[in-house]
Short mmCIF file of all heavy atoms in Angstrom, two decimals:
data_model
loop_
_atom_site.label_atom_id
_atom_site.label_comp_id
_atom_site.label_asym_id
_atom_site.label_seq_id
_atom_site.Cartn_x
_atom_site.Cartn_y
_atom_site.Cartn_z
N VAL A 1 -12.45 -13.63 5.65
CA VAL A 1 -11.73 -14.63 4.82
C VAL A 1 -12.52 -15.00 3.60
O VAL A 1 -12.03 -15.09 2.53
CB VAL A 1 -11.32 -15.85 5.69
CG1 VAL A 1 -10.83 -16.98 4.77
CG2 VAL A 1 -10.30 -15.44 6.71
N GLY A 2 -13.87 -15.19 3.70
CA GLY A 2 -14.68 -15.47 2.65
C GLY A 2 -14.67 -14.43 1.54
O GLY A 2 -14.66 -14.72 0.39
N ILE A 3 -14.70 -13.14 2.00
CA ILE A 3 -14.62 -12.06 1.01
C ILE A 3 -13.39 -12.19 0.19
O ILE A 3 -13.31 -12.11 -1.09
CB ILE A 3 -14.74 -10.65 1.69
CG1 ILE A 3 -16.13 -10.46 2.25
CG2 ILE A 3 -14.37 -9.58 0.75
CD1 ILE A 3 -16.23 -9.27 3.17
N VAL A 4 -12.22 -12.36 0.85
CA VAL A 4 -10.96 -12.41 0.24
C VAL A 4 -10.88 -13.57 -0.75
O VAL A 4 -10.43 -13.41 -1.86
CB VAL A 4 -9.80 -12.42 1.25
CG1 VAL A 4 -8.44 -12.66 0.53
CG2 VAL A 4 -9.72 -11.13 2.04
N GLN A 5 -11.32 -14.74 -0.34
CA GLN A 5 -11.25 -15.92 -1.11
C GLN A 5 -12.16 -15.88 -2.29
O GLN A 5 -11.86 -16.24 -3.42
CB GLN A 5 -11.55 -17.13 -0.28
CG GLN A 5 -10.35 -17.39 0.66
CD GLN A 5 -10.57 -18.66 1.58
OE1 GLN A 5 -11.66 -19.22 1.61
NE2 GLN A 5 -9.47 -19.10 2.18
N THR A 6 -13.38 -15.33 -2.14
CA THR A 6 -14.41 -15.27 -3.17
C THR A 6 -14.10 -14.18 -4.17
O THR A 6 -14.08 -14.44 -5.38
CB THR A 6 -15.79 -15.03 -2.58
OG1 THR A 6 -16.07 -16.07 -1.65
CG2 THR A 6 -16.82 -14.99 -3.64
N VAL A 7 -13.83 -13.03 -3.73
CA VAL A 7 -13.62 -11.89 -4.62
C VAL A 7 -12.27 -11.98 -5.35
O VAL A 7 -12.16 -11.68 -6.56
CB VAL A 7 -13.73 -10.52 -3.84
CG1 VAL A 7 -13.45 -9.36 -4.75
CG2 VAL A 7 -15.23 -10.44 -3.32
N PHE A 8 -11.23 -12.27 -4.62
CA PHE A 8 -9.85 -12.18 -5.13
C PHE A 8 -9.22 -13.58 -5.48
O PHE A 8 -8.16 -13.59 -6.01
CB PHE A 8 -8.92 -11.41 -4.11
CG PHE A 8 -9.43 -10.04 -3.84
CD1 PHE A 8 -10.13 -9.71 -2.75
CD2 PHE A 8 -9.18 -9.06 -4.81
CE1 PHE A 8 -10.54 -8.43 -2.52
CE2 PHE A 8 -9.59 -7.73 -4.59
CZ PHE A 8 -10.34 -7.46 -3.42
N ARG A 9 -9.95 -14.62 -5.13
CA ARG A 9 -9.44 -16.01 -5.36
C ARG A 9 -8.04 -16.19 -4.73
O ARG A 9 -7.17 -16.76 -5.25
CB ARG A 9 -9.27 -16.27 -6.86
CG ARG A 9 -10.51 -16.04 -7.63
CD ARG A 9 -11.44 -17.21 -7.58
NE ARG A 9 -12.56 -17.10 -8.49
CZ ARG A 9 -13.84 -17.01 -8.04
NH1 ARG A 9 -14.13 -17.02 -6.76
NH2 ARG A 9 -14.84 -16.88 -8.95
N VAL A 10 -7.94 -15.69 -3.50
CA VAL A 10 -6.75 -15.80 -2.72
C VAL A 10 -7.03 -16.52 -1.44
O VAL A 10 -7.93 -16.23 -0.68
CB VAL A 10 -6.16 -14.39 -2.34
CG1 VAL A 10 -4.96 -14.54 -1.42
CG2 VAL A 10 -5.74 -13.63 -3.61
N LYS A 11 -6.28 -17.59 -1.18
CA LYS A 11 -6.49 -18.39 0.04
C LYS A 11 -5.78 -17.83 1.22
O LYS A 11 -4.59 -17.46 1.18
CB LYS A 11 -6.00 -19.85 -0.19
CG LYS A 11 -6.25 -20.75 0.95
CD LYS A 11 -6.01 -22.16 0.61
CE LYS A 11 -6.06 -23.17 1.71
NZ LYS A 11 -7.15 -22.99 2.63
N LEU A 12 -6.59 -17.60 2.30
CA LEU A 12 -6.02 -17.12 3.52
C LEU A 12 -6.16 -18.30 4.57
O LEU A 12 -7.22 -18.87 4.72
CB LEU A 12 -6.90 -15.97 4.05
CG LEU A 12 -6.47 -14.55 3.75
CD1 LEU A 12 -7.59 -13.57 4.20
CD2 LEU A 12 -5.20 -14.18 4.31
N ASP A 13 -5.12 -18.53 5.30
CA ASP A 13 -5.25 -19.49 6.35
C ASP A 13 -4.70 -18.91 7.67
O ASP A 13 -4.26 -17.78 7.69
CB ASP A 13 -4.51 -20.84 5.96
CG ASP A 13 -3.06 -20.67 5.78
OD1 ASP A 13 -2.47 -19.80 6.35
OD2 ASP A 13 -2.51 -21.45 4.93
N LYS A 14 -4.80 -19.68 8.73
CA LYS A 14 -4.42 -19.17 10.04
C LYS A 14 -3.00 -18.52 10.09
O LYS A 14 -2.83 -17.51 10.67
CB LYS A 14 -4.57 -20.26 11.09
CG LYS A 14 -4.44 -19.74 12.50
CD LYS A 14 -4.68 -20.77 13.51
CE LYS A 14 -4.44 -20.22 14.90
NZ LYS A 14 -4.82 -21.13 15.98
N SER A 15 -2.04 -19.22 9.45
CA SER A 15 -0.70 -18.73 9.50
C SER A 15 -0.55 -17.32 8.76
O SER A 15 0.20 -16.49 9.21
CB SER A 15 0.31 -19.74 8.92
OG SER A 15 0.03 -19.92 7.57
N ASN A 16 -1.34 -17.13 7.70
CA ASN A 16 -1.38 -15.89 7.01
C ASN A 16 -1.97 -14.85 7.86
O ASN A 16 -1.52 -13.68 7.90
CB ASN A 16 -2.12 -15.98 5.75
CG ASN A 16 -1.65 -16.98 4.77
OD1 ASN A 16 -2.37 -17.79 4.27
ND2 ASN A 16 -0.35 -17.04 4.53
N LEU A 17 -3.14 -15.11 8.57
CA LEU A 17 -3.83 -14.18 9.33
C LEU A 17 -3.01 -13.65 10.48
O LEU A 17 -3.20 -12.47 10.87
CB LEU A 17 -5.14 -14.82 9.87
CG LEU A 17 -6.14 -15.07 8.83
CD1 LEU A 17 -7.36 -15.84 9.36
CD2 LEU A 17 -6.75 -13.73 8.23
N GLU A 18 -2.14 -14.40 11.00
CA GLU A 18 -1.22 -13.98 12.15
C GLU A 18 -0.37 -12.81 11.75
O GLU A 18 -0.02 -12.01 12.59
CB GLU A 18 -0.47 -15.15 12.64
CG GLU A 18 -1.32 -16.21 13.39
CD GLU A 18 -0.54 -17.47 13.72
OE1 GLU A 18 0.65 -17.60 13.45
OE2 GLU A 18 -1.19 -18.38 14.28
N SER A 19 0.02 -12.74 10.46
CA SER A 19 0.85 -11.65 10.08
C SER A 19 0.16 -10.43 9.50
O SER A 19 0.76 -9.38 9.18
CB SER A 19 1.85 -12.12 9.05
OG SER A 19 1.18 -12.50 7.84
N ILE A 20 -1.17 -10.57 9.37
CA ILE A 20 -2.00 -9.48 8.76
C ILE A 20 -2.66 -8.68 9.87
O ILE A 20 -3.58 -9.23 10.52
CB ILE A 20 -3.00 -10.00 7.79
CG1 ILE A 20 -2.30 -10.63 6.60
CG2 ILE A 20 -3.95 -8.90 7.32
CD1 ILE A 20 -3.19 -11.42 5.65
N ARG A 21 -2.13 -7.48 10.13
CA ARG A 21 -2.67 -6.71 11.22
C ARG A 21 -3.47 -5.44 10.75
O ARG A 21 -4.44 -5.01 11.41
CB ARG A 21 -1.59 -6.23 12.17
CG ARG A 21 -0.93 -7.36 12.90
CD ARG A 21 -1.85 -7.88 13.98
NE ARG A 21 -1.44 -9.21 14.50
CZ ARG A 21 -2.29 -10.20 14.66
NH1 ARG A 21 -3.51 -10.06 14.55
NH2 ARG A 21 -1.74 -11.38 15.09
N THR A 22 -3.03 -4.86 9.72
CA THR A 22 -3.63 -3.64 9.18
C THR A 22 -4.21 -3.88 7.69
O THR A 22 -3.94 -4.93 7.15
CB THR A 22 -2.61 -2.49 9.03
OG1 THR A 22 -1.67 -2.84 8.06
CG2 THR A 22 -1.95 -2.14 10.37
N PHE A 23 -5.02 -2.93 7.32
CA PHE A 23 -5.59 -3.09 5.98
C PHE A 23 -4.43 -3.05 4.89
O PHE A 23 -4.51 -3.80 3.94
CB PHE A 23 -6.64 -2.01 5.66
CG PHE A 23 -7.97 -2.32 6.40
CD1 PHE A 23 -8.21 -1.69 7.60
CD2 PHE A 23 -8.83 -3.25 5.89
CE1 PHE A 23 -9.34 -1.97 8.23
CE2 PHE A 23 -10.02 -3.47 6.52
CZ PHE A 23 -10.29 -2.88 7.76
N ALA A 24 -3.40 -2.30 5.15
CA ALA A 24 -2.25 -2.30 4.29
C ALA A 24 -1.61 -3.65 4.16
O ALA A 24 -1.29 -4.12 3.04
CB ALA A 24 -1.19 -1.28 4.67
N ASP A 25 -1.50 -4.38 5.28
CA ASP A 25 -1.01 -5.73 5.27
C ASP A 25 -1.91 -6.65 4.37
O ASP A 25 -1.36 -7.52 3.65
CB ASP A 25 -1.01 -6.38 6.71
CG ASP A 25 -0.01 -5.61 7.63
OD1 ASP A 25 0.95 -5.03 7.16
OD2 ASP A 25 -0.23 -5.77 8.79
N LEU A 26 -3.21 -6.50 4.51
CA LEU A 26 -4.16 -7.29 3.74
C LEU A 26 -4.03 -6.98 2.24
O LEU A 26 -4.02 -7.87 1.40
CB LEU A 26 -5.57 -7.12 4.26
CG LEU A 26 -6.58 -8.02 3.59
CD1 LEU A 26 -6.26 -9.52 3.72
CD2 LEU A 26 -7.90 -7.74 4.27
N TYR A 27 -3.95 -5.67 1.94
CA TYR A 27 -3.79 -5.31 0.52
C TYR A 27 -2.54 -5.89 -0.08
O TYR A 27 -2.55 -6.48 -1.15
CB TYR A 27 -3.72 -3.74 0.38
CG TYR A 27 -4.84 -2.94 0.87
CD1 TYR A 27 -4.56 -1.70 1.44
CD2 TYR A 27 -6.14 -3.40 0.97
CE1 TYR A 27 -5.57 -0.89 1.98
CE2 TYR A 27 -7.17 -2.60 1.39
CZ TYR A 27 -6.89 -1.38 1.94
OH TYR A 27 -7.83 -0.62 2.45
#
């Protein structure tokens, strides 16, 4: 989560993480 927030300035929270299963989902 820290990498995503620091590098991309995108906030990830628990509700987002539940739907992200693969790297494609994260991209």
Side-chain angles (χ1 to χ4, degrees):
V1 169
I3 290 170
V4 172
Q5 291 181 344
T6 302
V7 175
F8 299 101
R9 306 277 188 245
V10 172
K11 182 168 175 41
L12 268 173
D13 59 32
K14 187 176 179 173
S15 64
N16 302 129
L17 290 171
E18 291 171 359
S19 65
I20 296 173
R21 294 286 165 224
T22 65
F23 286 97
D25 294 338
L26 186 54
Y27 304 146

